[in-house]
Amino acid sequence: MTPDSATDAQARDARITPAGSPAPTRARDHVLDSGMTHRQVLEALSGLLLAMFVAILSSTVVTTALPEIIGDLGGTQSSYTWVVTSTLLALTVSTPVWGKLADLHDRKLLVQTALTIYVAGSILAGLSQSTSWLIGCRVVQGLGVGGLTALVQVILSDLVSPRERGRYSGYLGAVFGLGTVAGPLLGGLVTDAFGWRWCFYVGVPFAAAAFVVLQRTLHLPRRRREAHIDVPGALLIASGVSSLLIWVSLAGQEYDWLSWQTALLVGLGVVLCATAVAVERRVREPLVPLRLFGDRTVVLAVVASIAVGIAMFGTTVFLSQYMQIARGKSPIESGLLTIPMVVGLFVASTIVGRLVTRTGRYKRFMLAGTLSLTVGLALMGTIDERTSLVEVGAFMLLVGAGVGMTMQNLVLVVQNTVRQQDIGAGSSLIAFFRSLGGAIGVSVLGALLAHHARDAIADGLAAQGVDPARLGASGAGHIPDVSALPEPVARVVEHGYGTGIAEMFLVAAPLGLIAFLALLLLREQPLGTKSGRELAAAGGAAA
């Protein structure tokens, strides 16, 4: 695993720039193991960081406006869930496709294509007149974001070695934090000033800027070989997962958990997923290379990714509902109140990234992260509509720090393990299962919230002698406009959502322990000191 020192010295002396020409030597520029200076890497990464910001913004800028969007379009709690789930599902299914394409084609062109798809989906989403149209447009956005999510990590592996990658993964984590902070604030400000439709348009200038910056600063060796994209596998996985998610989000509301609809959707989902596995075993270029599951490290990283994905996406998505419905805050106030979570993520990812680069160790930091995530989720499970916002902020800080210490490092662990020709597939594998976990988490926890809020509101109104039918659309599962309700009824609704969202966090807390156990069993391996370009060049020379 550890490369030979002479080879390392030759690689450092070569100092190949992204364009392939000798790099100017500057006394103040530290030369990395990959042969590039820190400044050269940052220049090459600038467009990628902007693209990552766009990917994060696509979710966070809409989050604070989502209660108002669904209310304006006459949607239900299921609609709220599916506006988020549809994007995650599209991201989940498309990520392995983008990862496979990254192993076959020009990676810069692929990133720019993903940005174009994202822009198209954003513009169409801003024109929505119904929740069905909005959900369809969010699917298009998800396809573009899937490309950005997969390709940024893959291209980073081209530029720097695993040992140095922790530092730059910290920068990605910092951008993730910035996007998570700026998104809700920007979304709240835009919604209050111009209306929710502009939440979808606001990311377009950033995407256009990322496109131009990538064209000017990112220069990678062109790669192309015969491509065999696993279309049947993608369709089967998408259909199977969608069937199960539809069942989870509608069961208990549109039909009973034990019903013929449940039997049909669950049976169909299981059959399609089993067929997908059979197809993946036989195709030449599988969407999800099953051979990677023969590696213990990859399997444990996947388990941890699923758990982190469910806990992260499945809980944070509903924070805006807690702030706006249970606490009566405006969209912009809701965004401001989530800052503690982002501060935890930003600080933890940046500091831990540097420590990983300095020490070459990653396991201890990831274990600490999963413990922080578990404790934070458990404490969030104790809140209600009257809990001090200072306490809520402290609990969110722990959740954010836990995510920051684990999320980027899970990708690093897999990239350090798999072969160079599988870097794209391996990186996208982690993103695939993290997004899949997120989609499952949003659907399951969203269904749990809908069920709890409906029953709690009905019981609370009945205790006051009020007929729940007088609540109007809210009684049918629609998200209520608390500001328009009489004071006693509003208090019942706030309590229903406050305790319901707390219950979601409590249910998600054990997932942090599952991630902890998976990482505890992980064998820490020395981080490599060669970048993807160097390994590819060495492989070509050997051939």
Side-chain angles (χ1 to χ4, degrees):
M1 200 72 197
T2 306
D4 145 313
S5 58
T7 306
D8 281 350
Q10 291 172 0
R12 284 192 294 272
D13 290 340
R15 293 187 187 142
I16 303 173
T17 66
S21 56
T25 303
R26 296 190 179 190
R28 65 177 179 273
D29 283 345
H30 171 63
V31 180
L32 308 178
D33 290 328
S34 62
M36 297 174 65
T37 66
H38 176 60
R39 178 175 178 175
Q40 289 168 343
V41 173
L42 287 182
E43 288 175 354
L45 275 180
S46 57
L48 292 175
L49 294 175
L50 193 52
M52 177 61 80
F53 182 73
V54 169
I56 303 307
L57 206 63
S58 70
S59 301
T60 58
V61 78
V62 177
T63 301
T64 49
L66 208 45
E68 184 170 331
I69 294 172
I70 299 303
D72 190 34
L73 297 178
T76 64
Q77 181 66 48
S78 292
S79 302
Y80 185 104
T81 299
W82 271 96
V83 168
V84 179
T85 303
S86 59
T87 305
L88 286 174
L89 185 59
L91 188 158
T92 299
V93 175
S94 65
T95 295
V97 177
W98 289 106
K100 176 59 65 177
L101 290 172
D103 290 332
L104 306 174
H105 294 290
D106 183 353
R107 292 172 175 175
K108 181 169 82 171
L109 180 61
L110 290 174
V111 175
Q112 292 174 319
T113 302
L115 284 167
T116 304
I117 294 172
Y118 165 78
V119 168
S122 299
I123 293 173
L124 292 172
L127 302 174
S128 298
Q129 299 298 321
S130 68
T131 53
S132 299
W133 175 269
L134 176 60
I135 289 170
C137 295
R138 293 285 286 171
V139 169
V140 178
Q141 278 190 303
L143 295 175
V145 174
L148 300 177
T149 302
L151 294 166
V152 167
Q153 291 283 0
V154 173
I155 295 174
L156 179 61
S157 73
D158 272 342
L159 298 175
V160 292
S161 68
R163 180 63 183 266
E164 296 284 354
R165 209 170 295 157
R167 177 184 188 180
Y168 297 99
S169 292
Y171 293 151
L172 291 179
V175 170
F176 185 95
L178 177 62
T180 310
V181 167
L185 295 179
L186 192 57
L189 181 63
V190 168
T191 301
D192 289 343
F194 306 108
W196 61 262
R197 296 183 186 279
W198 284 92
C199 288
F200 296 102
Y201 302 144
V202 76
V204 174
F206 292 102
F211 190 99
V212 173
V213 172
L214 282 167
Q215 186 63 32
R216 296 187 61 180
T217 63
L218 183 63
H219 305 284
L220 297 171
R222 290 189 173 272
R223 64 180 71 216
R224 186 178 183 88
R225 64 181 177 87
E226 186 181 357
H228 297 272
I229 301 302
D230 178 21
V231 175
L235 293 176
L236 286 168
I237 292 173
S239 302
V241 172
S242 297
S243 180
L244 295 173
L245 293 180
I246 290 171
W247 164 65
V248 167
S249 62
L250 298 182
Q253 300 179 66
E254 302 295 330
Y255 47 80
D256 292 334
W257 286 95
L258 298 177
S259 63
W260 67 267
Q261 293 96 330
T262 290
L264 176 63
L265 289 171
V266 173
L268 180 62
V270 170
V271 169
L272 289 171
C273 289
T275 306
V277 172
V279 168
E280 296 301 276
R281 289 181 180 276
R282 290 176 174 80
V283 295
R284 179 176 174 182
E285 298 277 1
L287 187 68
V288 180
L290 298 181
R291 70 176 182 278
L292 295 181
F293 290 97
D295 189 299
R296 170 194 174 104
T297 299
V298 172
V299 172
L300 292 172
V302 163
V303 171
S305 294
I306 294 173
V308 170
I310 295 175
M312 179 177 69
F313 289 109
T315 55
T316 56
V317 160
F318 298 98
L319 272 176
S320 60
Q321 277 192 306
Y322 173 76
M323 295 298 181
Q324 293 179 48
I325 297 177
R327 305 307 294 257
K329 304 300 181 182
S330 69
I332 193 168
E333 288 173 331
S334 173
L336 287 168
L337 288 169
T338 58
I339 285 180
M341 178 178 287
V342 180
V343 169
L345 191 154
F346 181 93
V347 173
S349 63
T350 303
I351 293 176
V352 168
R354 289 181 173 273
L355 289 174
V356 169
T357 295
R358 183 181 304 165
T359 64
R361 301 284 185 178
Y362 50 83
K363 183 174 176 177
R364 65 187 68 171
F365 305 117
M366 296 170 73
L367 289 173
T370 54
L371 288 177
S372 176
L373 179 63
T374 304
V375 172
L377 291 172
L379 291 172
M380 287 293 288
T382 66
I383 66 174
D384 60 22
E385 73 281 7
R386 296 185 300 272
T387 304
S388 164
L389 290 175
V390 175
E391 287 183 36
V392 175
F395 301 160
M396 286 193 292
L397 183 73
L398 288 173
V399 174
V403 172
M405 283 189 268
T406 55
M407 189 173 60
Q408 301 295 340
N409 287 324
L410 285 170
V411 179
L412 173 64
V413 167
V414 172
Q415 288 182 342
N416 189 56
T417 301
V418 301
R419 298 178 302 174
Q420 169 60 23
Q421 55 266 44
D422 288 331
I423 283 286
S427 302
S428 61
L429 190 69
I430 295 300
F432 172 85
F433 281 102
R434 184 178 64 226
S435 303
L436 178 60
I440 293 170
V442 170
S443 289
V444 173
L445 297 177
L448 179 67
L449 172 61
H451 179 76
H452 178 101
R454 184 190 63 217
D455 290 350
I457 291 171
D459 292 344
L461 293 178
Q464 294 187 12
V466 178
D467 183 359
R470 293 182 59 187
L471 199 55
S474 302
H478 286 65
I479 296 177
D481 181 1
V482 179
S483 62
L485 298 175
E487 182 72 17
V489 176
R491 298 291 79 81
V492 170
V493 172
E494 289 173 354
H495 180 72
Y497 273 86
T499 56
I501 290 171
E503 185 179 22
M504 286 172 36
F505 281 103
L506 201 57
V507 168
L511 296 168
L513 287 179
I514 292 175
F516 175 83
L517 292 175
L519 295 175
L520 191 63
L521 297 173
L522 194 72
R523 293 195 187 101
E524 191 168 34
Q525 298 177 353
L527 294 175
T529 57
K530 286 192 175 184
S531 69
R533 292 181 304 106
E534 290 179 302
L535 291 172

